[in-house]
Amino acid sequence: MQLLSDRILNMAQSATLAMAAKARELKEEGKDIIGLSLGEPDFNTPDFIKDAAIQAINDNYNSYSPVDGYGDLKQAIITKFKRDNGLTYTPNQIVVSTGAKQSLANIAAVMTNKGDEVIMPCPYWVSYADLVKLNDGIPVEIPTTIATDFKMTPAQLEAAITPKTKMIWFSSPCNPSGSIYSKEELRGLADVLVKYPNVYVVSDEIYEHINYVGGHASMAQFEDMYDRTITVNGVSKAFAMTGWRIGYIGAPEKIARACNKMQGQITSGANCIAQRATITALNESPSRVQYMIDEFKVRRDLILSLLNEIEGFKTNVPEGAFYVFPNISYFFGKTLRGTTINNASDFSMFLLAEALVATVDGESFGNPDCIRISYAASQEQIIEAIKRIKEAVS
């Protein structure tokens, strides 16, 4: 009898976490690795949020929380959705989870049946496809290119829809490309979707506030899409709270209650102290963390200027998040320092070995011609990292 399930044997390891683990191993061996692989702000959680957590500890919050989140946290989420997105939800439409990744896992589990197709514009976040496959769904990839800022067109969407299409999953701002769908672009996609009333949208907006062009748009803002959109968000990125593990959804009530039921059997409620801190984070104006976004923009401009000096790196200008996603197919078939580069994975491993810089290959994001470089690092680290990369490929 086979020890491990087919389910786990067929699941890919998270590429970002795998590269981070490899970089840690090399660091422990004494190598001077610059890590540009993880999607994690290098800022500390703001003091006003930490103070709220300390207060919660002193107030003896130590018991199980409601499965779908504290009532006053759900009210803070409702206020945030209304203030920042113009969306109106009730408490029964909100579910708080242990990170936005669990929110996505819940959605996949409660909505996907065997053979259901889920459309994913490429590139997409690494876990989307495996979450769908884990629940016997079929990811349907829509390729995009740097020429279109890695955004799917309405014509591409319509061509991908079949009688088996259940959902479309996408992020805006996008991890890994930093692309942002404007309100007009979302409306174009919505005009296609209104013709297919059984297709639901999962809109991952975790990078919402890390936006350099302003005017974040949500698919659920359109009246004809509101009842078919699950909006996923959380506090990891904008508030530098990755380890606090709080994500949430606003969804049609039937879907939200199903996610609550699923979560009740898997983890129950999220960390009670982190929930209390999140109330404070969400009730404050997003302007309290604008200093982080301003610094990320400086770093974006810095890394683009440096990468554009390297022959073979083709970049666009990301409008949000904190990643660049350069096309590096120029190097395929070439031999660098004795290493033949056949694909993005080879190139990413070459940079780790020769430049001591950790990146992530684009194949895991659905685009095998690119690599993802995070600029959630100091300007000094970025300058040194790109200097090393330039020397390694020259």
Side-chain angles (χ1 to χ4, degrees):
M1 182 178 293
Q2 180 176 290
L3 174 62
L4 299 179
S5 69
D6 291 337
R7 182 180 299 108
I8 194 64
L9 292 174
N10 292 330
M11 182 188 292
Q13 187 175 5
S14 167
T16 52
L17 298 181
M19 179 56 86
K22 180 66 175 175
R24 277 195 299 271
E25 288 176 14
L26 292 175
K27 278 187 177 181
E28 289 169 2
E29 294 173 7
K31 301 285 180 65
D32 179 23
I33 304 294
I34 299 178
L36 301 182
S37 62
L38 274 183
E40 182 168 39
D42 60 325
F43 296 95
N44 291 321
T45 303
D47 287 343
F48 73 93
I49 298 174
K50 293 190 287 187
D51 290 342
I54 293 167
Q55 186 61 50
I57 293 171
N58 291 332
D59 289 343
N60 295 312
Y61 278 93
N62 50 33
S63 301
Y64 289 130
S65 63
V67 171
D68 54 355
Y70 286 119
D72 46 355
L73 174 53
K74 293 169 78 171
Q75 285 298 331
I77 293 167
I78 289 167
T79 298
K80 173 262 175 292
F81 272 131
K82 187 68 174 177
R83 179 192 67 214
D84 299 343
N85 311 106
L87 302 177
T88 301
Y89 290 107
T90 65
N92 280 341
Q93 293 177 277
I94 305 296
V95 179
V96 178
S97 300
T98 303
K101 184 179 281 190
Q102 185 180 25
S103 298
L104 291 164
N106 286 342
I107 294 163
V110 306
M111 293 192 67
T112 312
N113 284 314
K114 187 171 184 176
D116 284 347
E117 294 177 352
V118 179
I119 293 172
M120 298 178 183
C122 302
Y124 50 75
W125 183 50
V126 291
S127 292
Y128 286 177
D130 277 283
L131 287 174
V132 169
K133 291 176 186 176
L134 180 64
N135 292 282
D136 296 322
I138 301 170
V140 176
E141 298 183 348
I142 295 183
T144 67
T145 68
I146 202 167
T148 59
D149 280 333
F150 299 111
K151 288 188 273 193
M152 168 183 59
T153 67
Q156 285 181 303
L157 173 59
E158 184 139 33
I161 294 175
T162 75
K164 294 183 178 180
T165 303
K166 184 66 171 287
M167 291 180 280
I168 168 176
W169 283 31
F170 72 100
S171 58
S172 179
C174 175
N175 175 3
S177 70
S179 304
I180 295 177
Y181 286 91
S182 68
K183 184 176 181 180
E184 293 72 26
E185 288 167 334
L186 288 180
R187 183 64 255 177
L189 299 176
D191 288 341
V192 172
L193 292 168
V194 293
K195 294 183 277 185
Y196 303 93
N198 294 322
V199 178
Y200 281 72
V201 175
V202 176
S203 179
D204 181 351
E205 303 180 16
I206 191 72
Y207 292 92
E208 168 191 8
H209 293 303
I210 307 175
N211 180 324
Y212 312 124
V213 295
H216 175 80
S218 300
M219 182 64 83
Q221 71 187 295
F222 302 121
E223 187 175 346
D224 51 7
M225 289 303 301
Y226 174 83
D227 288 331
R228 293 164 51 196
T229 300
I230 303 102
T231 305
V232 180
N233 213 319
V235 293
S236 293
K237 310 302 183 180
F239 296 96
M241 295 175 68
T242 51
W244 298 68
R245 309 310 301 132
I246 297 292
Y248 56 86
I249 63 170
E253 186 171 337
K254 189 171 185 178
I255 295 172
R257 292 307 87 204
C259 288
N260 180 57
K261 180 180 178 181
M262 173 61 65
Q263 190 165 297
Q265 292 288 16
I266 304 298
T267 60
S268 296
N271 178 284
C272 59
I273 303 303
Q275 286 196 59
R276 303 313 299 174
T278 299
I279 294 171
T280 295
L282 295 181
N283 279 333
E284 288 286 331
S285 167
S287 63
R288 291 292 296 271
V289 293
Q290 184 62 41
Y291 66 94
M292 297 189 212
I293 289 84
D294 292 342
E295 175 61 20
F296 283 136
K297 185 175 186 297
V298 170
R299 296 174 184 180
R300 179 202 67 172
D301 295 343
L302 172 64
I303 198 169
L304 286 176
S305 68
L306 296 172
L307 287 174
N308 287 335
E309 295 175 359
I310 305 177
E311 184 180 12
F313 278 74
K314 185 179 179 182
T315 64
N316 63 326
V317 180
E319 296 179 327
F322 37 69
Y323 311 105
V324 288
F325 198 59
N327 183 306
I328 45 81
S329 58
Y330 168 87
F331 296 100
F332 295 173
K334 290 182 167 57
T335 299
L336 303 173
R337 298 191 180 187
T339 299
T340 300
I341 307 299
N342 295 308
N343 49 47
S345 178
D346 287 348
F347 190 72
S348 189
M349 293 307 296
F350 168 79
L351 294 182
L352 182 62
E354 297 294 335
L356 303 182
V357 176
T359 61
V360 190
D361 75 88
E363 188 168 353
S364 308
F365 299 95
N367 190 317
D369 292 336
C370 300
I371 61 171
R372 191 189 78 172
I373 305 175
S374 168
Y375 52 88
S378 70
Q379 294 183 44
E380 292 75 19
Q381 284 183 307
I382 290 169
I383 292 169
E384 175 62 22
I386 306 307
K387 175 187 174 185
R388 293 182 187 181
I389 290 173
K390 186 175 183 179
E391 291 173 351
V393 303
S394 294

